[in-house]
Every structure is written in C-alpha cells, then in structure tokens.
Amino acid sequence: MNLNSQTSSSIRKPKIFNNPERFIEGWYWVIPSQNLRVGEVKPITILGRELVIYRGKDKRVVTLDAYCPHMGAHLAEGKVEGNALRCFFHHWKFDAEGMCIDIPCLDTPLSLKLQTWPTAEKYGMIWVWTGEIPQQPLPFVPELEQKECDVAIHSHFVMNCHPNVVMINAIDAQHLNTVHKLPIEVVFERQELNENAIIFSNTTPIKDNSFFIKLIRLFYKNAITYSICYWYGSIGIVTLGPDFFHVHMMVAVRLYEGGKTEGQVLLMTKKRKGIFGLLCNRVMLWLTKIAAKYFLMGDIKILQTIQFDLKTPIKADHSIMQFINHVEKQQSLMWVTWKEGRSRDVESKPKRERWQDTMSND
C-alpha cells in the first residue's frame, strides 16, 4: 500500500488542515453557561472576531457583532433591558434578532440590523455557530445522542499548535504505544457520521497480563472500546471502556491567535436516576477525570513544542491522513472575517435549511 502517493495532495499542500488563517464552519464553544447570568452582557473574541453575548430576561443567550452600527461603540459597555441590549453611548437599542428597535432622539428607529449568530447551550457550555444557518446539531456522543448527560467541566488550556494537530493526537496509533504504553496494536476503522463528523473506532483485543486486565477478563471477554468522534475537525469525543462501563471525554478546541489552540475538556456520562445513579455518575466522572489526566498529561509537552509537518507518512499514520482528507472536504471560513475560504461544488453543497434543536438555550 503506497500511502505516500495515495494522500500526497492532502499531506503536502492542505488548504484547511493546520492552516492558521482558516477554520471549519461549525459549532464552537464560547464560555461556560454559569459564567453568564440573566441580565449580564460580556465581550468575547472567537476565532478572531469580536462579539458580545448577553442573557435576556427569558434566559436565552444572544450573540451579536460587538460594535454599534451608529458610531462603533462597543456594545459590551451597554446594558440588557428585558430581552434586548441598549448601547451605552447613544442608547440605541437592539433586540435578540439584531433589529434596532429604539433610538431615543427619533420617533421611529432606523431600519437596520446587527449581525447575529446562532447560539445554543449544551453540556454546561454556550456554543456559537459560525455561519448564517446551522447545518448540523450540536456535537454529541453517538451512543448518547438521545440521552441526557451529566457533565463536569474539567479544564481550560492553550497549546502552541493548531487545533487540527491537537485533534489527531487521539488517533496517532504509534504514540499510544510509545508514549502511553498501551498493550495493544491499535488499528482504527473509519465511519462517516455526516458531512461534518467522522468516527474512528478500535476493536483490537487487549492482550495484557496486568492485574487490572485480568480482573476485567473475569467478567468481560469482548474487546474494550476505544473510539473517537470528531466534529468540524475541532471537537474530539473519546469513548473508552468495556460495553457496560463507558466513559466519555470531549476535547473542544478553537483556533487561537498565532495559529495556536484554545480548548476546553468536558467529562460526561449518561444521566442515571435516583441517589444510586447520582453516586454512580460521580464515580464515573471521577474515573473519566483520571483517564483524561493520564492521556493529556503525557502529550502536553509534545503539543507545546511540535512543529507539525507530516513529510514521511507510513501505514501507521493512515487514520491521520483519513482525518486530514475529511477536514479538507468541509466548508472553511477565514480567521476574523468568517467569510468562506473556498467554495464547494454546487452538486455537493447542501440546501441551507435551518436546523432546529429542541435543546438549544434550554
């Protein structure tokens, strides 16, 4: 199998992957939900673009471009009135759809509209879609798609490499053996979930004589699950464990200034009822925290100093190259402007209909 010739175009000259000026249109985390109270407005900068977010009286979070269209005052200096936002400078008022609804010195406000961005809440975080109309639901763990989750926000971090490089770490089969000493030869199978999501799953049985593995083998004979579901090339959800004891960790990253990465780690498990379920989930999240620390700590020093350039791909890098090709097929946007970085073929571009999520801003 000649992997060099098969994927040379995506490895040597990627247009999106590891590009400090581009990112994929999709859902990106903003801040934890608990950090924005009702009636509060905050300035945020996401993927180079300055925005404001506020939570209205109805508890809904609204995201707008940061500057008033009158004279450019920053709207984070203003105040929330009901479900609308009033600029501090000349008191122009904008509703949750960005429409100007009041100018104190005019009987009728001007017909103008601020740019708004689709906003939702899930997993204890506020999320923003970086395009006009959401094309996909909020990222989810495939096996928990229709289930409620208990979530713990684990950590926030900044890395000195591109978000795409952070993401491929979970499917770098070689480093799982060299850095983490996993007692298996990892071989990933790929599955396209949708245009913006891809799953890599390993089903190789663990062959090890450690006490922990022997203990598990008394109750469980099948292969232990290790899978990663990627969304927009910037969110990786790791599922790990035997079928009766899966733990899930979401690493949500976004492009940061200078081609760096800013990210959040979320730990999650299926919500269970009653006191026993609550105690069980606390244990599950604690075990997930241990697993997250084990896998992340060993990689930090590499990701903080790496200068990624895959010049000599080998068979063990096949899943990484599949991920790169997956990223290259998606719609890219430009840093700061959020304008399209390239156009897809008309035949492959989906009809842009608004996606509805019953969990948005719940």
Side-chain angles (χ1 to χ4, degrees), residues 55 59 121-122 358-362:
R55 192 184 295 277
K59 299 184 180 180
E121 295 187 81
K122 195 173 185 180
T358 56
M359 297 188 68
S360 297
N361 286 293
D362 56 3

Side-chain angles (χ1 to χ4, degrees), residues 52-339:
V52 292
I53 57 172
Y54 72 90
R55 192 184 295 277
K57 186 178 180 180
D58 61 0
K59 299 184 180 180
R60 175 187 172 193
V61 178
V62 178
T63 305
L64 304 165
D65 275 351
Y67 297 98
C68 180
H70 179 40
M71 285 192 183
H74 202 296
L75 292 170
E77 303 297 334
K79 64 177 180 178
V80 179
E81 294 183 357
N83 297 320
L85 181 64
R86 191 179 291 278
C87 179
F88 172 79
F89 198 16
H90 296 115
H91 289 196
W92 289 28
K93 188 176 181 179
F94 302 89
D95 67 13
E97 303 303 319
M99 295 299 300
C100 182
I101 58 174
D102 183 43
I103 298 176
C105 64
L106 296 178
D107 293 333
T108 303
L110 300 178
S111 180
L112 56 84
K113 185 179 185 298
L114 266 173
Q115 176 69 59
T116 61
W117 301 97
T119 308
E121 295 187 81
K122 195 173 185 180
Y123 309 124
M125 302 292 293
I126 297 170
W127 303 80
V128 168
W129 178 271
T130 56
E132 179 184 356
I133 301 173
Q135 300 298 299
Q136 301 290 355
L138 288 160
F140 57 82
V141 183
E143 67 183 60
L144 300 180
E145 181 180 2
Q146 304 298 330
K147 298 180 176 65
E148 291 187 63
C149 298
D150 279 341
V151 179
I153 298 176
H154 178 255
S155 60
H156 169 268
F157 63 88
V158 175
M159 294 287 184
N160 293 323
C161 61
H162 192 278
N164 294 156
V165 177
V166 175
M167 287 291 97
I168 63 172
N169 191 62
I171 53 171
D172 182 350
Q174 296 178 81
H175 105 285
L176 293 174
N177 299 131
T178 58
V179 175
H180 300 295
K181 312 297 183 185
L182 292 188
I184 56 173
E185 180 185 358
V186 177
V187 179
F188 289 107
E189 296 180 358
R190 180 192 63 178
Q191 175 190 354
E192 297 277 352
L193 187 61
N194 58 50
E195 181 183 7
N196 297 116
I198 188 171
I199 302 172
F200 290 90
S201 301
N202 171 67
T203 56
T204 306
I206 292 181
K207 299 176 181 178
D208 186 36
N209 293 320
S210 67
F211 173 77
F212 178 69
I213 297 300
K214 287 182 178 179
L215 182 62
I216 290 179
R217 286 286 175 262
L218 292 175
F219 308 97
Y220 187 75
K221 302 297 182 182
N222 298 329
I224 292 178
T225 297
Y226 175 60
S227 68
I228 306 94
C229 180
Y230 290 109
W231 293 81
Y232 317 112
S234 60
I235 298 170
I237 305 173
V238 177
T239 296
L240 178 67
D243 291 344
F244 61 88
F245 198 66
H246 281 177
V247 297
H248 310 279
M249 175 179 67
M250 175 186 288
V251 180
V253 297
R254 63 190 184 209
L255 187 60
Y256 193 59
E257 187 175 0
K260 297 180 182 180
T261 296
E262 184 176 14
Q264 283 278 173
V265 178
L266 307 176
L267 314 177
M268 58 187 67
T269 186
K270 178 179 66 176
K271 184 179 286 292
R272 294 171 174 84
K273 297 180 180 180
I275 296 177
F276 177 77
L278 178 63
L279 293 175
C280 177
N281 279 6
R282 287 187 177 181
V283 172
M284 292 285 285
L285 292 173
W286 176 71
L287 291 173
T288 310
K289 182 177 180 180
I290 293 175
K293 183 177 181 180
Y294 173 77
F295 281 102
L296 294 175
M297 292 304 293
D299 300 324
I300 287 177
K301 61 183 179 182
I302 299 298
L303 295 175
Q304 291 289 28
T305 58
I306 192 172
Q307 296 291 318
F308 183 85
D309 189 3
L310 184 54
K311 294 180 178 179
T312 54
I314 61 175
K315 185 177 181 180
D317 300 319
H318 188 50
S319 57
I320 293 175
M321 291 182 284
Q322 288 177 322
F323 175 82
I324 293 174
N325 288 331
H326 171 70
V327 168
E328 291 296 302
K329 294 176 184 177
Q330 299 182 61
Q331 178 62 61
S332 71
L333 303 177
M334 300 298 295
W335 171 263
V336 178
T337 67
W338 292 16
K339 294 181 178 179

